Amino acid sequence: MPVSDSTSVAQKATLTADQRRAAAVLLRANTSPTVAELGELFAAAGHELALVGGPVRDVFLRGTPPDLDLTTDAVPERVLEITKAWADKTWTVGIEFGTIGLRKRNEIFEITTYRSEAYDRNSRKPEVKYGTSLVADLERRDFTINAMAARLPSFELVDPFGGLAALKEKVLRTPGRPEDSFSDDPLRILRAARFAARLGFTVAADVQAAMGEMASRLSIVSAERITDELSKLMLTATPEAGIDLLVRTGVAQTVLPELPALRMEVDEHHRHKDVYTHSLIVLRQAIDLEPRYGLGPDLVLRLAALLHDIGKPATRSLLPGGKVAFHHHEVVGAKIARKRLTALRFPNEVIDNVSRLIELHLRFHGYGDGDWNDSAVRRYVRDAGPLLTRLHALTRADCTTRNARKAARLAATYDALEARIEVLREQEELDKIRPDLDGGEIMRILGLKPGPLVGKAWNYLLELRLEHGELGTERATAELLAWAEREGIAPPAPER
């Protein structure tokens, strides 16, 4: 059943006197005394100051807020005058947006002048204008749960748009028309998905509709800001809920078009109605495996899990009997992921690691019933490199069969592979696999100077090391000389 829209916000905004008193007591009890001290400082100077947004919301959700964001009618220059003698340190990095930062003892505050900001139709940056009203400042905020304030030093709750009611209902609404909110700052479209995923809230029907209608406005937002918001979404407790919201509303078509493209692709095992559903399940299972592998919230693993099958639409082919195949989709998918993540300007390391995991995610399925020799196990470890732990998690997460017996067999087989890796690691220091001869020794034996031939010889010896294990210096030298003869490289004459 769809959640009601934002038309009844005004009705939900009315609080009784008892509710206001209780709210003030709760806010005071769960906020640092320094906040009230700062409020008294501003009041003595003839200005308003209020704790605002996330800190107020978090008090009602979980107690003590991690951040201390405040708003005031004083312009930034006046804020600096008022706090100059009180603060231990101030900084003005955000002054062009009306924000002053300051530190008192070990506490950090950000104080922003009442403002209204909106994007020009073709601009990537907001135009900031100062205001004089707390309620007007709250009205320009993204969602009603973030449009609450506590006046200082009294901690009187200001909730003109029903934020407290929305918290109780677990629903995201906008203070005004969602179309106006998303037009002012299109990034709020993605923020809606993040808050829904982070808090487990439902998004009001009119907000969902506006997300889809206004998605094209995201084109004026820089790729860096979009990527930052997507990263925050992916690191929430249930990113799959936020991702699904973006797909259902059509927003993903603008920022991650490869995801909605998966909905029409039936996977080759016919276990799921589509590859898209499978991908969300793999993402969920990968997150559940993070503690097992000591990963914590891991952006690389989560992106790889979400995108691991995006090569399937491009590689889909029909087989006899109505079955579907996606040959080499891992290779194609790695290239597609690299292109998309690059366009979004993710860090190079994230791009490289996610692409590599996608490329490797099917490698285990060649393991069969454990019939890999030691050479194949070494190559598996070598190819994964520092991504091995994440590859373990991704490979296990990619098993979504509903056949309990088959799932148990796959898990047991992977348990056996991990056990073999650990045995070989203890025997051979797998993480440090190198040829038995280093570059200097290769140059000395073959009489070479630094250049491509040395690298070619090194790689040849590495392949032998992976295939046969440790060779020892004598055998490695013999193998190197035999290789050089085949390559037409004459070794230096022995010294007399």
Side-chain angles (χ1 to χ4, degrees), residues 100-115:
I100 298 296
L102 56 89
R103 177 176 60 81
K104 181 69 173 181
R105 292 180 287 275
N106 62 342
E107 294 179 295
I108 304 296
F109 301 86
E110 284 195 348
I111 304 176
T112 302
T113 305
Y114 296 158
R115 64 186 184 183

Side-chain angles (χ1 to χ4, degrees), residues 69-142:
D69 298 329
L70 302 112
T71 187
T72 180
D73 61 343
V75 298
E77 293 75 14
R78 181 66 176 136
V79 172
L80 288 170
E81 291 176 4
I82 295 171
T83 61
K84 182 177 180 181
W86 180 84
D88 295 330
K89 183 179 180 180
T90 59
W91 53 92
T92 59
V93 174
I95 194 169
E96 65 176 312
F97 299 109
T99 300
I100 298 296
L102 56 89
R103 177 176 60 81
K104 181 69 173 181
R105 292 180 287 275
N106 62 342
E107 294 179 295
I108 304 296
F109 301 86
E110 284 195 348
I111 304 176
T112 302
T113 305
Y114 296 158
R115 64 186 184 183
S116 61
E117 63 183 24
Y119 280 83
D120 179 84
R121 181 60 58 177
N122 298 310
S123 173
R124 292 177 182 270
K125 293 184 178 181
E127 178 185 355
V128 177
K129 294 182 179 180
Y130 297 141
T132 58
S133 164
L134 175 58
V135 172
D137 180 84
L138 296 176
E139 187 175 15
R140 55 157 286 277
R141 294 178 180 266
D142 51 8

Side-chain angles (χ1 to χ4, degrees), residues 398-455:
D398 196 25
C399 175
T400 59
T401 178
R402 297 174 184 174
N403 184 320
R405 182 176 297 177
K406 186 173 184 179
R409 185 174 71 250
L410 285 170
T413 303
Y414 206 83
D415 287 342
L417 174 58
E418 287 191 9
R420 285 187 66 187
I421 289 171
E422 289 308 309
V423 169
L424 284 175
R425 175 175 282 127
E426 290 180 7
Q427 293 175 347
E428 305 180 15
E429 293 187 302
L430 281 184
D431 296 328
K432 300 178 181 179
I433 285 183
R434 296 288 186 275
D436 294 81
L437 302 175
D438 63 24
E441 291 169 317
I442 290 171
M443 288 188 287
R444 177 179 56 78
I445 293 170
L446 299 182
L448 297 176
K449 294 181 179 180
L453 278 179
V454 179

Side-chain angles (χ1 to χ4, degrees), residues 55 57 61 104 238 267 278 320 391 400 407 423 456:
R57 176 199 68 222
L61 281 176
K104 181 69 173 181
T238 57
D267 84 322
H278 165 75
L391 182 59
T400 59
V423 169
K456 191 173 181 181

Side-chain angles (χ1 to χ4, degrees), residues 2-16 19-20 144-145 147-148 157-175 204-206:
V3 175
S4 61
D5 61 26
S6 303
T7 56
S8 58
V9 166
Q11 297 175 352
K12 298 177 184 296
T14 303
L15 296 175
T16 66
Q19 286 175 321
R20 291 183 182 279
T144 59
I145 62 171
M148 297 184 288
L157 178 64
V158 181
D159 182 20
F161 305 105
L164 198 57
L167 282 177
K168 293 178 180 178
E169 295 176 53
K170 296 186 176 181
V171 60
L172 282 181
R173 297 189 179 93
T174 53
D206 63 334

Side-chain angles (χ1 to χ4, degrees), residues 31 51 72 121 158 198 254 425 443 459 483:
T31 306
L51 191 68
T72 180
R121 181 60 58 177
V158 181
R198 174 186 167 190
T254 299
R425 175 175 282 127
M443 288 188 287
N459 286 328
W483 172 85

Side-chain angles (χ1 to χ4, degrees), residues 242-297:
I243 292 294
D244 190 48
L245 175 63
L246 295 180
V247 171
R248 286 188 290 104
T249 56
V251 176
Q253 192 64 46
T254 299
V255 294
L256 280 172
E258 294 80 7
L259 290 182
L262 296 176
R263 288 182 295 181
M264 300 299 294
E265 304 298 329
V266 179
D267 84 322
E268 68 266 40
H269 304 296
H270 299 277
R271 299 192 192 102
H272 304 282
K273 64 180 181 181
D274 56 37
V275 177
Y276 169 69
T277 301
H278 165 75
S279 297
L280 293 186
I281 294 173
V282 172
L283 172 58
R284 179 69 260 157
Q285 293 186 164
I287 294 169
D288 292 340
L289 284 166
E290 285 175 342
R292 173 175 180 164
Y293 290 102
L295 292 171

Side-chain angles (χ1 to χ4, degrees), residues 354-407:
V354 171
S355 302
R356 185 61 173 157
L357 281 173
I358 293 173
E359 186 178 0
L360 293 172
H361 83 272
L362 290 183
R363 189 69 62 87
F364 161 71
H365 295 285
Y367 189 66
D369 294 321
D371 53 0
W372 277 1
N373 57 25
D374 286 350
S375 171
V377 176
R378 291 188 197 100
R379 290 178 189 279
Y380 189 78
V381 174
R382 174 72 181 186
D383 289 346
L387 297 174
L388 182 62
T389 299
R390 290 179 173 122
L391 182 59
H392 288 335
L394 178 59
T395 303
R396 287 185 183 274
D398 196 25
C399 175
T400 59
T401 178
R402 297 174 184 174
N403 184 320
R405 182 176 297 177
K406 186 173 184 179

